[in-house]
Amino acid sequence: VQLVESGGGSVQPGGSLRLSCVASGLTFDDYVTVWFREAPGKEREGVACINNNDGSTNTADSVQGRFAISGDNVKNTVYLQMSRLKSEDTAVYSCGLGNYQCASGTQVSDVGWGYWGKGTPVTVSS
């Protein structure tokens, strides 16, 4: 099983980026994909998740209205569209695919088992 993230980079505050997570070696539709981020000195944070079988999603309060998660099951790919980026969004963003729970109104969680990519860095700075 392999997950590969891409799309990170440097952007000014207020800008946008779209991250991609491509999965291989697993029946994509059967699992949940999550995006987590980790920044130096900060707690690791779940950002968004999607149930790959039905497309239902959940996003963290901290990014609500700015980030959106979506999936393309034909391409085994999940996207994280990030808009109106802030300096506090600076982090390494990683995707995970596994038997996680993803429900609207709950905390984005990676409790369970799954596989992870190596992450892609996002820097928001003027």
Side-chain angles (χ1 to χ4, degrees), residues 37-45 87-90:
R37 66 184 180 184
E38 190 163 14
K42 293 185 179 180
E43 194 171 329
R44 186 169 173 266
E45 179 186 15
S87 58
E88 51 262 44
D89 295 319
T90 295

PDB file of all heavy atoms in Angstrom, residues 37-45 87-90:
ATOM      1  N   ARG A  37      -2.314  17.515   9.904  1.00  0.00           N
ATOM      2  CA  ARG A  37      -1.196  18.429   9.746  1.00  0.00           C
ATOM      3  C   ARG A  37      -0.418  18.506  11.050  1.00  0.00           C
ATOM      4  O   ARG A  37      -0.972  18.328  12.130  1.00  0.00           O
ATOM      5  CB  ARG A  37      -1.661  19.811   9.307  1.00  0.00           C
ATOM      6  CG  ARG A  37      -2.499  20.569  10.321  1.00  0.00           C
ATOM      7  CD  ARG A  37      -2.977  21.883   9.707  1.00  0.00           C
ATOM      8  NE  ARG A  37      -3.791  22.668  10.638  1.00  0.00           N
ATOM      9  CZ  ARG A  37      -4.391  23.797  10.332  1.00  0.00           C
ATOM     10  NH1 ARG A  37      -4.283  24.304   9.090  1.00  0.00           N
ATOM     11  NH2 ARG A  37      -5.107  24.444  11.239  1.00  0.00           N
ATOM     12  N   GLU A  38       0.846  18.795  10.891  1.00  0.00           N
ATOM     13  CA  GLU A  38       1.721  18.906  12.052  1.00  0.00           C
ATOM     14  C   GLU A  38       2.701  20.036  11.818  1.00  0.00           C
ATOM     15  O   GLU A  38       3.388  20.081  10.794  1.00  0.00           O
ATOM     16  CB  GLU A  38       2.451  17.585  12.289  1.00  0.00           C
ATOM     17  CG  GLU A  38       3.185  17.517  13.601  1.00  0.00           C
ATOM     18  CD  GLU A  38       3.541  16.094  13.995  1.00  0.00           C
ATOM     19  OE1 GLU A  38       3.449  15.187  13.139  1.00  0.00           O
ATOM     20  OE2 GLU A  38       3.918  15.892  15.165  1.00  0.00           O
ATOM     21  N   ALA A  39       2.747  20.948  12.780  1.00  0.00           N
ATOM     22  CA  ALA A  39       3.652  22.082  12.715  1.00  0.00           C
ATOM     23  C   ALA A  39       4.572  22.056  13.930  1.00  0.00           C
ATOM     24  O   ALA A  39       4.167  21.556  14.987  1.00  0.00           O
ATOM     25  CB  ALA A  39       2.858  23.383  12.677  1.00  0.00           C
ATOM     26  N   PRO A  40       5.756  22.575  13.795  1.00  0.00           N
ATOM     27  CA  PRO A  40       6.688  22.597  14.929  1.00  0.00           C
ATOM     28  C   PRO A  40       6.086  23.284  16.131  1.00  0.00           C
ATOM     29  O   PRO A  40       5.538  24.383  16.020  1.00  0.00           O
ATOM     30  CB  PRO A  40       7.885  23.381  14.382  1.00  0.00           C
ATOM     31  CG  PRO A  40       7.817  23.205  12.918  1.00  0.00           C
ATOM     32  CD  PRO A  40       6.362  23.148  12.587  1.00  0.00           C
ATOM     33  N   GLY A  41       6.164  22.619  17.262  1.00  0.00           N
ATOM     34  CA  GLY A  41       5.676  23.221  18.494  1.00  0.00           C
ATOM     35  C   GLY A  41       4.175  23.178  18.676  1.00  0.00           C
ATOM     36  O   GLY A  41       3.656  23.693  19.662  1.00  0.00           O
ATOM     37  N   LYS A  42       3.474  22.570  17.723  1.00  0.00           N
ATOM     38  CA  LYS A  42       2.016  22.485  17.817  1.00  0.00           C
ATOM     39  C   LYS A  42       1.568  21.035  17.852  1.00  0.00           C
ATOM     40  O   LYS A  42       2.255  20.141  17.356  1.00  0.00           O
ATOM     41  CB  LYS A  42       1.359  23.199  16.640  1.00  0.00           C
ATOM     42  CG  LYS A  42       1.557  24.697  16.613  1.00  0.00           C
ATOM     43  CD  LYS A  42       0.750  25.321  15.475  1.00  0.00           C
ATOM     44  CE  LYS A  42       0.900  26.809  15.430  1.00  0.00           C
ATOM     45  NZ  LYS A  42       0.114  27.423  14.338  1.00  0.00           N
ATOM     46  N   GLU A  43       0.386  20.837  18.391  1.00  0.00           N
ATOM     47  CA  GLU A  43      -0.164  19.496  18.436  1.00  0.00           C
ATOM     48  C   GLU A  43      -0.610  19.054  17.049  1.00  0.00           C
ATOM     49  O   GLU A  43      -1.123  19.852  16.265  1.00  0.00           O
ATOM     50  CB  GLU A  43      -1.359  19.482  19.392  1.00  0.00           C
ATOM     51  CG  GLU A  43      -1.834  18.105  19.794  1.00  0.00           C
ATOM     52  CD  GLU A  43      -2.863  18.176  20.905  1.00  0.00           C
ATOM     53  OE1 GLU A  43      -2.795  19.111  21.724  1.00  0.00           O
ATOM     54  OE2 GLU A  43      -3.738  17.305  20.940  1.00  0.00           O
ATOM     55  N   ARG A  44      -0.393  17.802  16.744  1.00  0.00           N
ATOM     56  CA  ARG A  44      -0.865  17.249  15.480  1.00  0.00           C
ATOM     57  C   ARG A  44      -2.381  17.387  15.407  1.00  0.00           C
ATOM     58  O   ARG A  44      -3.081  17.132  16.393  1.00  0.00           O
ATOM     59  CB  ARG A  44      -0.456  15.791  15.398  1.00  0.00           C
ATOM     60  CG  ARG A  44      -0.740  15.087  14.097  1.00  0.00           C
ATOM     61  CD  ARG A  44      -0.035  13.753  14.091  1.00  0.00           C
ATOM     62  NE  ARG A  44      -0.384  12.931  12.939  1.00  0.00           N
ATOM     63  CZ  ARG A  44      -1.343  12.028  12.969  1.00  0.00           C
ATOM     64  NH1 ARG A  44      -2.033  11.825  14.070  1.00  0.00           N
ATOM     65  NH2 ARG A  44      -1.608  11.300  11.895  1.00  0.00           N
ATOM     66  N   GLU A  45      -2.880  17.788  14.262  1.00  0.00           N
ATOM     67  CA  GLU A  45      -4.293  18.138  14.152  1.00  0.00           C
ATOM     68  C   GLU A  45      -4.954  17.476  12.948  1.00  0.00           C
ATOM     69  O   GLU A  45      -4.425  17.536  11.833  1.00  0.00           O
ATOM     70  CB  GLU A  45      -4.445  19.669  14.018  1.00  0.00           C
ATOM     71  CG  GLU A  45      -5.868  20.149  13.878  1.00  0.00           C
ATOM     72  CD  GLU A  45      -5.958  21.653  13.604  1.00  0.00           C
ATOM     73  OE1 GLU A  45      -4.932  22.259  13.248  1.00  0.00           O
ATOM     74  OE2 GLU A  45      -7.071  22.198  13.753  1.00  0.00           O
ATOM     75  N   SER A  87      -1.146  32.201   8.122  1.00  0.00           N
ATOM     76  CA  SER A  87       0.181  31.772   8.560  1.00  0.00           C
ATOM     77  C   SER A  87       0.086  30.554   9.485  1.00  0.00           C
ATOM     78  O   SER A  87       0.963  29.684   9.467  1.00  0.00           O
ATOM     79  CB  SER A  87       0.899  32.913   9.257  1.00  0.00           C
ATOM     80  OG  SER A  87       0.141  33.379  10.358  1.00  0.00           O
ATOM     81  N   GLU A  88      -0.988  30.484  10.248  1.00  0.00           N
ATOM     82  CA  GLU A  88      -1.130  29.354  11.174  1.00  0.00           C
ATOM     83  C   GLU A  88      -1.471  28.040  10.481  1.00  0.00           C
ATOM     84  O   GLU A  88      -1.536  26.990  11.118  1.00  0.00           O
ATOM     85  CB  GLU A  88      -2.180  29.651  12.248  1.00  0.00           C
ATOM     86  CG  GLU A  88      -3.510  30.141  11.726  1.00  0.00           C
ATOM     87  CD  GLU A  88      -3.622  31.662  11.793  1.00  0.00           C
ATOM     88  OE1 GLU A  88      -2.635  32.355  11.423  1.00  0.00           O
ATOM     89  OE2 GLU A  88      -4.710  32.145  12.199  1.00  0.00           O
ATOM     90  N   ASP A  89      -1.702  28.099   9.172  1.00  0.00           N
ATOM     91  CA  ASP A  89      -1.907  26.865   8.405  1.00  0.00           C
ATOM     92  C   ASP A  89      -0.583  26.221   7.985  1.00  0.00           C
ATOM     93  O   ASP A  89      -0.583  25.122   7.427  1.00  0.00           O
ATOM     94  CB  ASP A  89      -2.740  27.147   7.153  1.00  0.00           C
ATOM     95  CG  ASP A  89      -4.152  27.607   7.465  1.00  0.00           C
ATOM     96  OD1 ASP A  89      -4.766  27.050   8.387  1.00  0.00           O
ATOM     97  OD2 ASP A  89      -4.616  28.544   6.782  1.00  0.00           O
ATOM     98  N   THR A  90       0.509  26.921   8.248  1.00  0.00           N
ATOM     99  CA  THR A  90       1.818  26.368   7.912  1.00  0.00           C
ATOM    100  C   THR A  90       2.057  25.076   8.670  1.00  0.00           C
ATOM    101  O   THR A  90       1.957  25.033   9.906  1.00  0.00           O
ATOM    102  CB  THR A  90       2.920  27.386   8.250  1.00  0.00           C
ATOM    103  OG1 THR A  90       2.774  28.535   7.413  1.00  0.00           O
ATOM    104  CG2 THR A  90       4.305  26.778   8.047  1.00  0.00           C
TER     105      THR A  90
END
